[in-house]
Coordinates of all heavy atoms in Angstrom, one line a residue:
Chain C
Y26 N 82.0 108.5 93.3 CA 80.9 108.4 94.3 C 80.8 109.7 95.0 O 81.8 110.5 95.1 CB 81.2 107.3 95.3 CG 82.4 107.6 96.2 CD1 82.1 108.3 97.4 CD2 83.7 107.3 95.9 CE1 83.2 108.6 98.3 CE2 84.7 107.7 96.7 CZ 84.5 108.3 97.9 OH 85.5 108.7 98.8
T27 N 79.7 110.0 95.6 CA 79.5 111.1 96.5 C 79.1 110.4 97.9 O 78.1 109.7 98.0 CB 78.4 112.1 96.1 OG1 78.8 112.5 94.8 CG2 78.4 113.2 97.0
C28 N 80.0 110.7 98.9 CA 79.8 110.0 100.2 C 78.6 110.5 100.9 O 78.4 111.8 101.0 CB 81.0 110.2 101.0 SG 80.9 109.6 102.7
A29 N 77.7 109.6 101.4 CA 76.5 110.0 102.1 C 76.9 110.6 103.5 O 76.1 111.4 104.0 CB 75.5 108.9 102.3
G30 N 78.0 110.2 104.0 CA 78.4 110.7 105.3 C 78.9 112.1 105.3 O 78.5 113.0 106.1
C31 N 79.9 112.4 104.4 CA 80.5 113.7 104.4 C 80.5 114.5 103.1 O 80.9 115.6 103.1 CB 82.0 113.5 104.8 SG 83.0 112.8 103.5
G32 N 79.9 113.9 102.1 CA 79.7 114.7 100.9 C 81.0 114.7 100.0 O 80.9 115.2 98.9
H33 N 82.0 114.0 100.4 CA 83.3 114.0 99.6 C 83.0 113.2 98.4 O 82.3 112.2 98.4 CB 84.3 113.2 100.5 CG 85.7 113.1 99.9 ND1 86.5 114.2 99.7 CD2 86.3 112.0 99.4 CE1 87.6 113.8 99.1 NE2 87.5 112.5 98.9
A34 N 83.5 113.7 97.2 CA 83.3 113.0 96.0 C 84.7 112.5 95.4 O 85.6 113.4 95.4 CB 82.6 113.9 95.0
L40 N 88.5 104.4 97.1 CA 87.9 103.9 98.4 C 88.9 103.1 99.2 O 89.7 102.3 98.5 CB 86.6 103.2 98.2 CG 85.4 103.9 97.7 CD1 84.3 102.9 97.3 CD2 84.9 104.9 98.7
R52 N 85.3 102.0 102.1 CA 85.1 103.2 103.0 C 85.7 104.4 102.4 O 86.7 104.4 101.7 CB 85.8 102.9 104.4 CG 85.1 101.9 105.2 CD 85.8 101.6 106.5 NE 85.2 100.6 107.3 CZ 84.2 100.8 108.2 NH1 83.8 102.1 108.5 NH2 83.6 99.8 108.9
C53 N 85.0 105.5 102.7 CA 85.4 106.9 102.2 C 86.8 107.2 102.9 O 86.9 107.1 104.1 CB 84.4 107.9 102.6 SG 84.8 109.6 102.3
P54 N 87.8 107.5 102.1 CA 89.1 107.8 102.6 C 89.0 109.1 103.5 O 89.9 109.4 104.2 CB 90.0 108.0 101.4 CG 89.1 108.2 100.3 CD 87.8 107.6 100.6
H55 N 88.0 109.9 103.3 CA 87.9 111.2 103.9 C 87.3 111.1 105.3 O 87.8 111.7 106.3 CB 87.0 112.1 103.0 CG 87.2 113.6 103.3 ND1 86.2 114.4 103.7 CD2 88.3 114.3 103.1 CE1 86.7 115.6 103.8 NE2 87.9 115.6 103.5
C56 N 86.2 110.3 105.5 CA 85.5 110.2 106.8 C 85.4 108.8 107.3 O 84.8 108.6 108.4 CB 84.1 110.8 106.7 SG 82.9 109.8 105.7
E57 N 85.9 107.8 106.6 CA 85.8 106.4 107.0 C 84.4 105.7 107.0 O 84.3 104.6 107.3 CB 86.5 106.1 108.4 CG 88.0 106.0 108.4 CD 88.6 105.6 109.7 OE1 87.9 105.3 110.6 OE2 89.8 105.5 109.7
D58 N 83.4 106.5 106.6 CA 82.1 105.9 106.5 C 82.1 104.8 105.4 O 82.8 104.9 104.4 CB 81.0 106.9 106.2 CG 80.5 107.6 107.4 OD1 81.0 107.3 108.5 OD2 79.6 108.4 107.3
V59 N 81.2 103.9 105.5 CA 81.0 102.8 104.5 C 80.3 103.4 103.3 O 79.2 104.0 103.4 CB 80.3 101.6 105.0 CG1 80.1 100.6 103.9 CG2 81.1 101.0 106.1
V60 N 80.9 103.4 102.1 CA 80.2 103.9 100.9 C 79.6 102.8 100.1 O 78.5 103.0 99.5 CB 81.3 104.7 100.0 CG1 80.7 105.1 98.7 CG2 81.8 105.9 100.8
G76 N 75.6 103.9 101.4 CA 76.5 105.0 101.9 C 76.9 106.0 100.8 O 77.8 106.8 101.0
Ligands
LIG301 ZN1 82.9 110.5 103.5

Side-chain angles (χ1 to χ4, degrees):
Chain C
Y26 71 89
T27 304
C28 173
C31 71
H33 183 70
L40 291 173
R52 290 178 180 268
C53 174
H55 202 243
C56 73
E57 278 189 3
D58 273 7
V59 176
V60 172

